[in-house]
């Protein structure tokens, strides 16, 4: 439900039926005679925003299907700690002519470039990164088809991330031609042939807004890439694609042993890249202390990695939705800005608390002493409850359904 544009009553008196819709409403600041009442009304406004657009972070913990005690027990049974494989991440980016299409006044290619630049910085530090582009040569005219379909370049060969060099590579091409998706996957097969799966974890993220139009078979090419000695996982992200193209891209991901993700805009693309990263179970080495011996192990099992991703995604979504609504209200009347400033200050405090709790998880899970999923749920509840309890009592707070 959207916030009403004109002021509405916050709630009905006790025992009186409320005929107003369950939407976030704006208190009338001019009707409040004291600073306490103003703060109380602003708090009610913030609580309505949280009730309508706040995320249920407990759901993230419900997804963890193994308790920390079980993980600790499994560690105790192991004589040797596992050695992490080398993570290799290759991004294959469609730079065909259709990528000049706009999403909210920004080209699809620029949306993808920004998301990729952010994504690589969130990978484990030891990850080797590569960027291959296709369709960026020639044009999308039939006379240039041969040139464009042969246009496949590893503009950032697989290596440790150098921020400056990667940024320069991302800025070095524009969208122009056809879509040689199959030939690109075949080229990646050649480039990754020396990265045996016994010592390497190889993952490709293919980002495209359409399907093959250079007469190749991307499904077959993805299948061969996954069946190679490198056992490459091919994840595919459809950027603002139609249903028919989405079906073909999904088939490519299935053949490549990966997953298909759909993103309609920049926010969704950032989210699905994070989801795709965690679904691929990339290992991030870290140090833990077992029997007074410092040993190198994979930092967290995949279900805990997904916990981190789930919390981060919910925080981003909560922040984006509330920012959108408060920005919209600020444009309506000048007085709204006083409530919006208060609400955003409270939102920052809420998310800072959740962030601190999330960041403390790695230490707690590394120690693995008397830590369980139930205990983590209790700790999270305390973080969220203390954020509310620290504020003045809110009178006549609107009764709005809570978002999950």
């Amino acid at each position: 439900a959207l916030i009403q544009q004109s002021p509405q009553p916050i709630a009905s008196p006790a025992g009186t039926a409320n005929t107003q819709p369950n939407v976030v409403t704006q208190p009338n600041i001019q009707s409040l005679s004291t600073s306490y009442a103003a703060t109380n009304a602003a708090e009610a406004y913030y609580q309505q925003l949280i009730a309508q657009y706040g995320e249920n972070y407990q759901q993230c913990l419900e997804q963890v299907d193994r308790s920390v005690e079980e993980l600790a027990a499994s560690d105790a049974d192991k004589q040797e700690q596992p050695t992490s494989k080398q993570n290799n991440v290759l991004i294959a980016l469609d730079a065909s002519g259709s990528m000049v299409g706009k999403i909210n006044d920004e080209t699809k290619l620029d949306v993808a470039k920004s998301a990729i630049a952010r994504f690589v910085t969130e990978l484990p530090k030891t990850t080797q990164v590569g960027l291959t582009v296709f369709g960026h040569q020639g044009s999308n005219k039939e006379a240039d088809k041969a040139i464009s379909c042969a246009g496949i370049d590893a503009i950032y060969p697989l290596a440790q991330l150098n921020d400056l060099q990667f940024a320069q590579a991302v800025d070095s091409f524009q969208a122009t031609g056809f879509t040689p998706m199959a030939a690109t996957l075949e080229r990646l097969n050649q480039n990754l042939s020396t990265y045996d799966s016994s010592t390497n974890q190889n993952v490709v993220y293919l980002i495209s807004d359409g399907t093959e139009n250079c007469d190749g078979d991307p499904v077959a090419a993805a299948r061969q890439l996954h069946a190679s000695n490198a056992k490459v996982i091919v994840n595919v992200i459809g950027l603002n694609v139609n249903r028919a193209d989405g079906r073909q891209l999904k088939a490519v991901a299935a053949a490549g042993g990966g997953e298909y993700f759909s993103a309609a805009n920049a926010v969704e693309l950032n989210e699905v890249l994070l989801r795709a990263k965690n679904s691929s179970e990339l290992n991030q080495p870290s140090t833990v202390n077992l029997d007074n011996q410092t040993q190198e192990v994979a930092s967290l099992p995949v279900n805990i990695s997904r916990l981190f991703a789930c919390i981060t995604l919910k925080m981003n979504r909560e922040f984006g939705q509330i920012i959108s609504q408060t920005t919209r209200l600020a444009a309506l009347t000048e007085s709204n800005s006083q409530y919006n400033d208060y609400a955003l200050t409270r939102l920052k405090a809420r998310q800072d608390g959740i962030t601190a709790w999330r960041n403390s998880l790695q230490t707690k899970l590394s120690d693995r002493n008397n830590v369980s999923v139930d205990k983590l749920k209790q700790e999270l509840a305390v973080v969220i409850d203390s954020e509310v309890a620290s504020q003045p009592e809110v009178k006549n707070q609107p009764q709005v359904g809570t978002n999950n």
Side-chain angles (χ1 to χ4, degrees):
L2 293 176
I3 299 176
Q4 296 294 310
Q5 294 189 6
S6 58
Q8 300 289 333
I10 296 179
S12 301
T16 302
N18 188 353
T19 58
Q20 298 297 328
N22 284 342
V23 295
V24 181
T25 56
Q26 302 167 242
N28 185 348
I29 192 170
Q30 295 178 350
S31 69
L32 303 175
S33 58
T34 67
S35 60
Y36 177 82
T39 300
N40 223 22
E43 177 65 15
Y45 175 55
Y46 165 72
Q47 291 298 337
Q48 290 179 65
L49 287 168
I50 291 298
Q52 192 71 41
Y53 302 106
E55 293 288 330
N56 183 351
Y57 294 94
Q58 293 285 359
Q59 289 179 334
C60 296
L61 286 167
E62 292 169 3
Q63 297 175 8
V64 179
D65 56 7
R66 294 179 67 196
S67 70
V68 180
E69 289 96 331
E70 290 173 329
L71 296 173
S74 66
D75 280 343
D77 292 337
K78 295 178 182 177
Q79 297 297 319
E80 297 181 359
Q81 299 298 328
T83 301
S84 296
K85 294 181 180 181
Q86 170 62 50
N87 294 321
N88 301 313
V89 171
L90 271 169
I91 300 166
L93 178 59
D94 180 357
S96 61
S98 60
M99 290 288 282
V100 300
K102 295 292 185 71
I103 302 177
N104 298 330
D105 298 324
E106 190 175 14
T107 68
K108 296 177 187 178
L109 185 61
D110 286 340
V111 168
K113 285 182 174 182
S114 297
I116 290 168
R118 176 180 176 179
F119 170 67
V120 296
T121 64
E122 296 173 345
L123 295 170
K125 297 297 183 183
T126 56
T127 301
Q128 294 194 119
V129 178
L131 176 60
T132 296
V133 296
F134 56 96
H136 62 300
Q137 294 183 11
S139 72
N140 55 7
K141 296 180 179 179
E142 192 65 27
D144 285 337
K145 181 174 181 178
I147 295 174
S148 183
C149 290
I152 305 167
D153 289 315
I155 60 172
Y156 191 90
L158 195 62
Q160 295 292 318
L161 179 64
N162 180 298
D163 292 335
L164 178 59
Q165 292 178 5
F166 192 87
Q168 291 172 338
V170 167
D171 289 336
S172 67
F173 62 94
Q174 297 299 323
T176 179
F178 285 74
T179 311
M181 190 178 299
T184 300
L185 293 172
E186 292 168 358
R187 179 74 61 82
L188 295 179
N189 200 351
Q190 297 173 9
N191 294 345
L192 289 169
S193 61
T194 59
Y195 294 88
D196 192 272
S197 63
S198 62
T199 54
N200 294 274
Q201 183 175 18
N202 305 304
V203 183
V204 165
Y205 298 91
L206 190 154
I207 303 174
S208 177
D209 72 334
T211 57
E212 168 77 30
N213 60 8
C214 285
D215 307 317
D217 185 347
V219 173
R223 186 177 295 111
Q224 292 173 0
L225 184 55
H226 185 55
S228 68
N229 67 313
K231 290 184 172 55
V232 181
I233 296 171
V234 181
N235 292 312
V236 181
I237 300 171
L239 180 58
N240 199 233
V241 300
N242 60 41
R243 188 170 299 178
D245 288 347
R247 282 196 296 268
Q248 187 189 83
L249 294 176
K250 188 174 183 178
V252 173
E259 294 186 59
Y260 172 69
F261 303 86
S262 179
N265 52 47
V267 173
E268 290 184 9
L269 181 57
N270 281 305
E271 288 184 354
V272 300
L273 278 169
L274 182 58
R275 283 167 51 201
K277 175 176 76 73
N278 285 284
S279 70
S280 297
E281 304 181 23
L282 294 176
N283 298 311
Q284 181 174 3
S286 69
T287 301
V288 298
N289 195 313
L290 296 175
D291 299 328
N292 297 320
Q293 298 290 324
T294 299
Q295 304 182 37
E296 195 77 7
V297 298
S299 63
L300 297 172
V302 64
N303 58 334
I304 303 299
S305 297
R306 287 176 179 170
L307 168 60
F308 275 66
C310 177
I311 294 170
T312 302
L313 287 172
K314 282 183 176 290
M315 289 179 64
N316 290 341
R317 186 162 55 216
E318 177 180 85
F319 183 81
Q321 289 177 332
I322 292 179
I323 284 290
S324 176
Q325 292 304 318
T326 54
T327 300
R328 175 179 169 275
L329 285 176
L332 297 179
T333 64
E334 184 176 349
S335 63
N336 288 334
S337 63
Q338 299 182 53
Y339 289 97
N340 291 341
D341 289 345
Y342 178 91
L344 295 181
T345 298
R346 293 281 284 109
L347 177 63
K348 182 179 185 302
R350 169 186 169 90
Q351 295 214 337
D352 284 349
I354 295 171
T355 299
W357 174 82
R358 181 201 63 186
N359 293 344
S360 71
L361 287 178
Q362 185 160 351
T363 300
K364 293 174 182 177
L365 295 173
S366 295
D367 292 340
R368 297 182 182 177
N369 292 322
N370 299 319
V371 179
S372 66
V373 174
D374 286 341
K375 186 173 181 178
L376 294 177
K377 288 181 179 180
Q378 294 171 4
E379 290 178 355
L380 178 57
V382 169
V383 169
I384 295 177
D385 290 345
S386 64
E387 183 261 343
V388 175
S390 63
Q391 300 304 312
E393 179 183 356
V394 179
K395 299 178 180 178
N396 296 328
Q397 183 173 337
Q399 301 301 311
V400 183
T402 303
N403 247 18
N404 287 333

